[in-house]
C-alpha cells in the first residue's frame, strides 16, 4: 500500500510541477509582450498603450503563447538537462507567438513598419525572457539542492 502511495505522490508532484512551469512560461511570455508594447510606445509616435491596440496584442499574445507552449511542450523541458535542441523549442515558441500575434494585429489595424518592429522586439524579448527564466531556475535549483 505504501508503494502505491509513493508512486501516486511522485506522479502528482511531477504533474503539478509541469503545470506550474506552464503557468510561469505563460506569465513570462505575457510580461515580455507587455514590455515590448511599452518600449515600442516610447520609440514611436503611435500610442500602442491605448485600450484597443493593447487589448488586441495582449489577447493574441495570450492565445498564441498558450497554443504554442502547449503544442511544443516547452514546460516539460528538464532544467538540468537543457540542450541546444531545447533552446530551439523556446525560439520556435517565441517566433510563432510573435508572428501570429503580429498577423492578427496587422489584420485588425494595418501592416506598417511599426508592426514589424513590434514583431521583432516581441520575438527577442520573449526569447530573452525564456532563457533568463530557465537560467534562474537552474540557479534556484542549485541553491535549494545545496541547502538540503
Amino acid at each position: 500500500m505504501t508503494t502505491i502511495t509513493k508512486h501516486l505522490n511522485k506522479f502528482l508532484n511531477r504533474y503539478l510541477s509541469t503545470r506550474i512551469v506552464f503557468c510561469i512560461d505563460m506569465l513570462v511570455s505575457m510580461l515580455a509582450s507587455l514590455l515590448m508594447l511599452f518600449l515600442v510606445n516610447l520609440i514611436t509616435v503611435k500610442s500602442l498603450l491605448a485600450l484597443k491596440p493593447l487589448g488586441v496584442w495582449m489577447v493574441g499574445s495570450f492565445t498564441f503563447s498558450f497554443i504554442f507552449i502547449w503544442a511544443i511542450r516547452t514546460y516539460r523541458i528538464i532544467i538540468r538537462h537543457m540542450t541546444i535542441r531545447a533552446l530551439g523549442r523556446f525560439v520556435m515558441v517565441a517566433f510563432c507567438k510573435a508572428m501570429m500575434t503580429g498577423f492578427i494585429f496587422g489584420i485588425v489595424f494595418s501592416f506598417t513598419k511599426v508592426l514589424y518592429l513590434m514583431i521583432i522586439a516581441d520575438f527577442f524579448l520573449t526569447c530573452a525572457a525564456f532563457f533568463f527564466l530557465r537560467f534562474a531556475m537552474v540557479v534556484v535549483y542549485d541553491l535549494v539542492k545545496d541547502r538540503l
Side-chain angles (χ1 to χ4, degrees):
M1 198 64 143
T2 59
T3 319
I4 294 171
T5 309
K6 182 179 170 183
H7 290 294
L8 183 61
N9 282 335
K10 183 179 178 183
F11 174 75
L12 288 176
N13 287 335
R14 187 180 74 203
Y15 187 68
L16 292 175
S17 296
T18 57
R19 284 186 176 175
I20 291 169
V21 173
F22 180 83
C23 291
I24 291 170
D25 282 348
M26 285 291 298
L27 179 66
V28 164
S29 180
M30 296 299 297
L31 289 175
S33 292
L34 195 59
L35 178 63
M36 178 279 305
L37 285 171
F38 179 72
L39 292 175
V40 171
N41 193 51
L42 289 176
I43 295 171
T44 63
V45 182
K46 293 185 178 183
S47 177
L48 297 172
L49 297 179
L51 190 58
K52 189 173 180 182
L54 178 69
V56 169
W57 191 273
M58 294 309 290
V59 166
S61 179
F62 177 83
T63 303
F64 293 118
S65 292
F66 184 89
I67 290 169
F68 290 114
I69 289 171
W70 177 79
I72 299 174
R73 301 194 188 288
T74 56
Y75 59 93
R76 291 183 176 252
I77 295 173
I78 299 171
I79 298 168
R80 299 297 295 165
H81 304 286
M82 193 157 51
T83 63
I84 298 297
R85 180 179 290 169
L87 290 177
R89 290 167 66 184
F90 286 108
V91 170
M92 181 62 74
V93 168
F95 178 77
C96 292
K97 179 196 90 159
M99 292 302 290
M100 293 304 294
T101 304
F103 180 71
I104 297 299
F105 193 85
I107 289 173
V108 172
F109 296 104
S110 65
F111 291 93
T112 62
K113 290 181 182 179
V114 173
L115 176 60
Y116 299 129
L117 174 66
M118 292 167 61
I119 291 170
I120 292 168
D122 190 57
F123 169 71
F124 283 114
L125 285 173
T126 304
C127 282
F130 280 146
F131 296 160
F132 178 77
L133 173 67
R134 288 305 192 258
F135 178 74
M137 285 181 169
V138 169
V139 170
V140 168
Y141 174 80
D142 286 341
L143 289 174
V144 169
K145 190 178 89 175
D146 289 343
R147 289 190 179 180
L148 294 178

